[in-house]
Amino acid sequence: MTAVQRPAERQMIIGGRDSEAADGARFVRESPGDGEIVASYPQAAAADVDRAVSAARDAFDSGPWPHMSGADRGVVLHRVGQLIRRDATLLAELEALESGKPIAQALGEVEGTADLWEYAATVARHTYGDAHNALGANVLGIVVNEPVGVVAMITPWNFPVLIISQKLPFALAVGCTAVVKPSDLTCGTTIHLGALLREAGLPDGAVNVITGDGSVGAALCRHPGVDMISFTGSTAVGRVIARDAGEDLKRVELELGGKNPQIICADADLDRAADAVVYGSLFNQGECCNAGSRLLVEEGVSHAVLERIAEQMDRVVVGDPLDPATQVGAIASEAQLRKIEALVEDGRAAGASTLVGGSRLQTEQGCFFQPTVFSSVEPDMKIAREEIFGPVLSVLTFKSLDEAIRLANSTLYGLSAGIWTQDLDKALRAAKDIRAGTIWVNSWLDGFPELPFGGFGASGVGRELGRQAVAAFTETKTIQIHSGWRSPWSTVGRWDG
Ligand code: NAD
């Protein structure tokens, strides 16, 4: 017996109320694990985008949220964290059913999500600026961080409830309001989160959730009532959004794809490194922006490392997302499965060797792909350069740390990278010279709300989490206070803008 009743009919949330699409249109989501319908959702149209933006606009321009104290906003955000913990089983099941991920990983994702809301509650109390008191007699300069306004938030299907929670609680913490559009493959947990926000006491309209495909996201991004776009998804769509945002000069923050290298040096603890490489490439079926999908291994130990990896990959349990023993679940959609197959085929045709797996799993129902390892991969092959977003590891070898760093920096991306070594000099060198937003030394994939997250190059623009989260969702305002009379001509010869 599962906590999720299916099939369900779910509504959007606009202005604090459950809401159908204006024209009554709906679409269904089937689970990629068993092909059964999980739920149906409204397919929003332009009129619904208008309603949602104007609810968020009203909540920002004349509602209480932006004017409440950080402490009061923090109370609501903390309550949301607690409610997420209360509903953890339901949220995790919904996430596993719609995304295809294993329930054990979905539970971890939900716990991490609650942690983000609880951390953001502390950020709400620490949104402050700066003061300058050495600007001359009778002058005080005050720098404040004000909420940027209405934020459009658009999210992908791989970690739906976690990714919206890397944005939403931080934007709310500083006083913004929002319209959220999750991927049409995974709306369930975001809508449930919207209900928890109401239960926690968030004012109506401060967060609105609309559902539908990419056309809804595009209409939302182009809406003149939106001040900022915070997007997580593919680099291709990120480029379109950045172009459109440039037209209107909207603020934009983009979290995009990755082709993340993990370097194993000959002096590394090979057992630990191999274990982490298998986990880092298969976690969430490899449908992870931070997937360690490119292994760079030092030539002298490549045989020993590949032996360990192949042995572990063979033992990985692939199957029903709701089974607690499952380690690799279902691929999120047939379209994604076909994309993986095409890239794997390309790797084979280009001359890489399939060490493990290499094809779709023949099951009666659902979308599954075998954990796959390619060896003899060359840097110019697509499987070494493009994000596959599936359980596929491409292995390249190197002779020197210089070569490893050159290979690490040889794609357009720069989201994350890792190095396995016991030599501090090598670790520091790699940490400094690899161009990526996160560098892991002797670990992979762990993260903390306190630490900023984001990418270099084609992996994105801006940072989420940490102290940077305040910067992401605020505008900086300078206030100059002059006391007493001073002739305006007295500024001649000084900088005056
Ligand atoms: P996607 O870009 O296809 O879709 C993401 C979201 O954008 C969806 O909600 C979609 O409906 C919407 N969308 C599509 N076209 C749009 C448009 N023209 N304007 C506005 N919105 C539009 O990505 P996806 O397939 O859902 O997710 C996978 C991608 O997300 C991968 O590339 C992955 O690396 C990336 N990702 C990045 C991070 C990160 O933090 N850097 C995290 C997770 C996923």
Side-chain angles (χ1 to χ4, degrees), residues 154-158 163 181-183 213-214 217-218 221 231-234 237 240-241 255-258 289 387 389 415 453:
I154 298 176
T155 53
W157 44 259
N158 57 341
I163 287 175
K181 202 227 55 92
S183 163
D213 57 15
C221 291
F231 171 80
T232 300
S234 62
V237 173
V240 174
I241 289 178
E255 299 294 336
L256 309 175
C289 56
E387 187 181 49
F389 232 54
L415 191 58
F453 174 68

Side-chain angles (χ1 to χ4, degrees), residues 423-438:
D423 180 337
L424 189 58
D425 289 347
K426 286 184 187 166
L428 262 181
R429 181 60 222 295
K432 283 186 167 171
D433 289 353
I434 295 177
R435 293 181 55 78
T438 297

